[in-house]
């Protein structure tokens, strides 16, 4: 989304210095786009961007271009935001994206406690000492930044997706209702719990038409495969390439996101974009933008009966009910997550800040 934003801002007359991870540029490239200019660089290293060499690289860029606004993403924010603020001080406005909520991070990292605490402390220092704003994709992220990092100057801007919708063609298959999970196989995503609950539901409802398909990778993968065993109603499809994502989601009747903690999962937005209704945990930030029983179905992961009730609701849906869910899912994407809306919001954010 950042690269698309960079191109849009160039069309509007901005000069953008974009540090790209993929594709990787061994030497800088310049492009005239619209009224502006796009200047492409990559960090000295292809993996990390926090070494001394990276700081020197960024220092030279900041001195050469003296940016007015610097927006960081993930690992690159540490170097770009800190160096910019140290060199240019009040002459530059800096922002970082809060993509990963604290609860998700704590559940998924099994390393030494001191290392986890250091990471969170480092982020707190980054926000409070070097950032003018923190961009949050959801209210959940906003609350996390304020409560766990004691930083109050947040801006709520949902992550968008380029529209890849090719037409509405979904139908409720009465002989088989396919629910799919796509994402990392890690604790915060709660996939093992989902499998346990589905197996239990299947045992008490042997005639259920629901089948479960799971795609993704993560350090709990082997445990997941063992848990599935020979269950014919659950299929593990392995890790998918990005080019396979749309085909997978389009093959489903519903996606499911059973996370115990999550910010704004991309798969929810992809599901809405492709007009496939998502079944979502109430613990994810996406519910800020969704309407239960209109474009999606909510369930509580702390209540096993709630997911069971969701499965039962799905099996009772009429074709008309299902088509309405699909169309409303697509409408929600168009209302909140298009690139055009993101471009305009970010332009106002940059100009007004």
């Amino acid at each position: 989304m950042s690269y698309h934003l960079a191109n849009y801002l160039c069309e509007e007359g901005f000069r953008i210095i974009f540090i790209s991870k993929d594709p990787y540029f061994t030497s800088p490239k310049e492009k005239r786009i619209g009224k502006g200019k796009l200047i492409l660089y990559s960090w000295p290293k292809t993996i990390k961007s926090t070494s001394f060499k990276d700081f020197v690289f960024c220092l030279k860029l900041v001195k050469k271009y003296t940016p007015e606004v610097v927006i960081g993403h993930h690992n690159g924010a540490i170097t770009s935001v800190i160096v910019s603020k140290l060199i240019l001080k009040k002459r530059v406005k800096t922002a970082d994206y809060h993509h990963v909520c604290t609860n998700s991070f704590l559940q998924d990292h099994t390393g030494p406690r001191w290392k986890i605490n250091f990471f969170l402390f480092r982020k707190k220092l980054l926000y409070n000492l070097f950032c003018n704003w923190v961009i949050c994709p959801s209210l959940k992220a906003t609350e996390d930044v304020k409560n766990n990092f004691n930083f109050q100057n947040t801006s709520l801007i949902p992550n968008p997706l380029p529209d890849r919708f090719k037409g509405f063609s979904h139908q409720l298959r009465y002989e088989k209702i396919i629910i799919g999970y796509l994402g990392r196989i890690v604790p915060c995503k709660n996939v093992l719990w989902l499998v346990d609950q589905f197996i239990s539901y299947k045992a008490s409802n042997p005639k259920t038409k629901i089948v479960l398909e799971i795609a993704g990778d993560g350090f709990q993968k082997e445990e997941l495969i063992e848990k599935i065993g020979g269950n014919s109603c659950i299929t593990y499809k392995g890790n998918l390439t990005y080019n396979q994502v749309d085909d997978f989601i389009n093959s489903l009747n519903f996606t499911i996101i059973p996370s115990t903690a999550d910010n704004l999962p991309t798969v929810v937005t992809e599901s809405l974009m492709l007009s496939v209704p998502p079944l979502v945990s109430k613990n994810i930030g996406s519910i800020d933008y969704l309407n239960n029983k209109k474009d999606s179905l909510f369930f509580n992961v702390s209540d096993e009966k709630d997911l069971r009730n969701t499965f039962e609701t799905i099996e009772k849906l009429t074709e008309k009910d299902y088509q309405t869910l699909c169309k409303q899912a697509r409408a929600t994407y168009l209302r909140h997550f298009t690139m055009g809306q993101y471009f305009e919001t970010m332009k106002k954010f940059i100009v007004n800040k």
Side-chain angles (χ1 to χ4, degrees), residues 5 8-9 14 71 73 95 97 135 157-158 340-353:
L5 174 64
Y8 167 79
L9 291 174
F14 289 81
I71 300 175
H73 272 283
Y97 271 87
I135 300 171
I157 304 175
Q341 290 166 311
Y342 175 69
F343 293 159
E344 289 299 318
T345 301
M346 286 299 295
K347 181 183 175 182
K348 290 177 184 177
F349 172 83
I350 291 168
V351 171
N352 294 335
K353 300 304 184 185

Side-chain angles (χ1 to χ4, degrees), residues 111-256:
R113 187 67 194 184
W114 68 265
K115 195 171 183 179
I116 294 172
N117 289 338
F118 173 73
F119 175 86
L120 296 173
F121 178 69
R122 184 181 67 180
K123 180 174 280 193
K124 187 174 184 178
L125 290 181
L126 175 68
Y127 288 173
N128 286 278
L129 297 182
F130 300 101
C131 288
N132 294 96
W133 302 274
V134 172
I135 300 171
C136 297
S138 67
L139 289 174
K140 187 177 183 67
T142 298
E143 292 167 2
D144 185 43
V145 170
K146 292 180 178 180
N147 296 335
N148 291 312
F149 299 95
N150 196 29
F151 187 86
Q152 305 302 313
N153 206 4
T154 61
S155 294
L156 180 63
I157 304 175
N159 297 336
L161 277 178
D163 195 355
R164 306 191 299 267
F165 184 62
K166 294 180 180 179
F168 184 82
S169 61
H170 300 291
Q171 293 181 329
L172 191 62
R173 306 171 186 128
Y174 289 102
E175 72 281 0
K176 184 168 64 172
I177 300 173
I178 308 173
I179 298 176
Y181 170 84
L182 173 64
R184 292 180 297 134
I185 315 297
V186 293
C188 87
K189 299 297 186 178
N190 209 25
V191 187
L192 302 182
W193 175 86
L194 169 64
V195 170
D196 283 336
Q197 300 311 310
F198 181 73
I199 291 174
S200 175
Y201 178 78
K202 173 69 176 175
S204 57
N205 297 270
K207 294 184 179 180
T208 180
K209 295 170 286 187
I210 297 175
V211 297
L212 185 62
E213 294 188 357
I214 299 172
D217 199 6
F219 66 85
Q220 289 187 315
K221 180 179 72 173
E222 297 305 322
E223 188 176 352
L224 171 68
I225 293 172
E226 182 179 350
K227 191 177 286 289
I228 293 173
N231 196 308
S232 60
C233 290
I234 307 176
T235 304
Y236 175 58
K237 303 179 78 69
N239 197 26
L240 302 182
T241 66
Y242 192 72
N243 291 333
Q244 295 174 305
V245 167
D246 287 4
D247 286 342
F248 175 72
I249 295 176
N250 276 321
S251 71
L252 308 172
N253 295 111
F254 300 90
T255 54
I256 187 165

Side-chain angles (χ1 to χ4, degrees), residues 73-142:
H73 272 283
H74 295 295
N75 188 258
I78 297 171
T79 306
S80 58
V81 168
I82 290 176
V83 169
S84 300
K85 186 57 76 174
L86 285 175
I87 300 301
L88 300 177
K89 298 182 173 58
K90 292 184 179 180
R91 288 178 291 165
V92 67
K93 301 300 183 183
T94 54
D96 187 20
Y97 271 87
H98 191 69
H99 287 300
V100 181
C101 287
T102 303
N103 286 341
S104 304
F105 176 80
L106 292 175
Q107 289 183 45
D108 294 345
H109 285 74
T110 57
R113 187 67 194 184
W114 68 265
K115 195 171 183 179
I116 294 172
N117 289 338
F118 173 73
F119 175 86
L120 296 173
F121 178 69
R122 184 181 67 180
K123 180 174 280 193
K124 187 174 184 178
L125 290 181
L126 175 68
Y127 288 173
N128 286 278
L129 297 182
F130 300 101
C131 288
N132 294 96
W133 302 274
V134 172
I135 300 171
C136 297
S138 67
L139 289 174
K140 187 177 183 67
T142 298

Side-chain angles (χ1 to χ4, degrees), residues 3 16 42 44 57 80 100 207 238 276 293 298 322:
Y3 183 72
I16 304 295
S42 289
F57 162 80
S80 58
V100 181
K207 294 184 179 180
V276 177
K293 298 181 180 179
F298 297 177
Y322 178 67

Side-chain angles (χ1 to χ4, degrees), residues 56-71:
V56 172
F57 162 80
C58 190
L59 176 65
K60 291 178 179 178
L61 281 187
V62 170
K63 286 185 173 181
K64 181 177 180 179
Y65 295 107
T66 58
E68 297 176 68
V69 177
V70 172
I71 300 175

